[in-house]
Amino acid sequence: MSQRPTAVVTGASRGLGAAIARRLAPRCRHLVLLARSEDALAALRDELRSRRTKVDFVRADLSSAQAALEAADRIDALIGTPDQLVLNAGVSNDAPFADTSLDAIAYELGVNTVAPTTLLRWAVPRMRDRGHGRVVVVGSLAAVVPFPGNATYSATKAALLALVRSLRLELDGTGVHLAIVLPGLTRTDATAELASVLPRMSAEAVAKATAAALTGDRAIVIPGWHNRLAAQLFQAAPDLTEHVLALVAAKVVPSAHQP
């Protein structure tokens, strides 16, 4: 593209989303931030505007298709169809499946799968008809590695992985590029209280990989060599690695609970 792109980042008020927004801001001419916290969004907007980038925000609780469509209408009013879209918003229940309420599961599914799918359905046809667009979905290593204590979270991220891989084939040759980033344990305020012996990547490092995915050609990006190794092991030897994980889950999986 001849000029700096327009971009949207969901889940942008804190943690990884805010780090992604900070990484993208200098390269964008207009950046739109989405999240639930208006105060946090306003503070980040003011911070990023100091870098001479036009920044707006949309306060949205992306937990349903309807909420996502309403957010899409507000994005459309601000910038039309974005050149770049980063779908980062996500939640996790951090509880064993049998102890998680159906309402909590429904909310998790809404935020992690229904809303991003809805935003994709809004943006992708417009990008295709225009002939260009870049989308990165922030998934999780849990899409390919078992995550006891967060089974439905794993399921939502696995759904996003399958969706992106299939859409890439549908959109081949259209000028629309999709990728998914699968980070492992990331150091943010949300994970500060989680106990694990696993190494944590910084939000800034994952944000750098996410920004690179927007301009690269790879379908699946797994930041960190240790995360890539885990993905390879669990795919190559699922029975063995699941057996080992069952023995050490309490030490390596932050949300795993011992009976």
Side-chain angles (χ1 to χ4, degrees):
M1 296 182 63
S2 59
Q3 59 180 345
R4 294 189 301 163
T6 59
V8 173
V9 179
T10 71
S13 62
R14 63 192 180 108
L16 178 56
I20 293 170
R22 291 186 179 99
R23 173 71 59 169
L24 295 184
R27 66 178 69 175
C28 295
R29 71 177 186 274
H30 197 162
L31 178 64
V32 179
L33 313 172
L34 273 71
R36 290 179 297 175
S37 173
E38 184 169 353
D39 290 345
L41 285 171
L44 183 58
R45 175 201 60 191
D46 294 345
E47 173 194 334
L48 297 181
R49 275 181 173 173
S50 68
R51 302 181 185 182
R52 299 181 181 178
T53 295
K54 186 174 183 180
V55 182
D56 284 298
F57 69 82
V58 173
R59 184 187 178 281
D61 183 356
L62 296 176
S63 58
S64 68
Q66 183 59 38
L69 288 173
E70 291 172 1
D73 286 341
R74 296 183 65 186
I75 295 168
D76 196 23
L78 288 168
I79 60 172
T81 304
D83 299 313
Q84 299 180 348
L85 174 62
V86 179
L87 297 172
N88 166 73
V91 296
S92 59
N93 286 323
D94 295 329
F97 179 75
D99 298 332
T100 306
S101 71
L102 290 176
D103 285 344
I105 291 172
Y107 186 79
E108 188 178 49
L109 289 168
V111 174
N112 293 1
T113 303
V114 175
T117 300
T118 303
L119 288 173
L120 279 170
R121 180 59 182 81
W122 168 75
V124 162
R126 291 163 167 246
M127 291 178 171
R128 178 199 60 200
D129 294 344
R130 185 181 59 191
H132 69 85
R134 313 282 296 190
V135 181
V136 170
V137 177
V138 178
S140 170
L141 189 64
V144 294
V145 173
F147 199 1
N150 255 314
T152 49
Y153 177 81
S154 293
T156 61
K157 296 301 185 176
L160 291 178
L161 174 59
L163 179 63
V164 168
R165 295 189 69 185
S166 296
L167 284 179
R168 281 177 57 87
L169 296 176
E170 290 187 13
L171 295 168
D172 185 43
T174 66
V176 181
H177 170 79
L178 274 79
I180 187 165
V181 178
L182 306 180
L185 189 58
T186 304
R187 193 181 309 114
T188 66
D189 290 343
T191 64
E193 302 300 321
L194 298 179
S196 174
V197 299
L198 292 176
R200 303 179 190 224
M201 292 190 69
S202 68
E204 290 73 22
V206 178
K208 181 179 180 180
T210 303
L214 273 173
T215 56
D217 295 323
R218 294 172 59 190
I220 302 171
V221 176
I222 304 178
W225 68 267
H226 54 290
N227 293 323
R228 292 190 289 273
L229 177 60
Q232 292 170 357
L233 289 174
F234 275 90
Q235 290 175 326
D239 292 337
L240 175 61
T241 49
E242 286 180 18
H243 175 71
V244 173
L245 180 58
L247 297 175
V248 300
K251 292 187 178 296
V252 300
V253 182
S255 53
H257 296 268
Q258 290 298 306

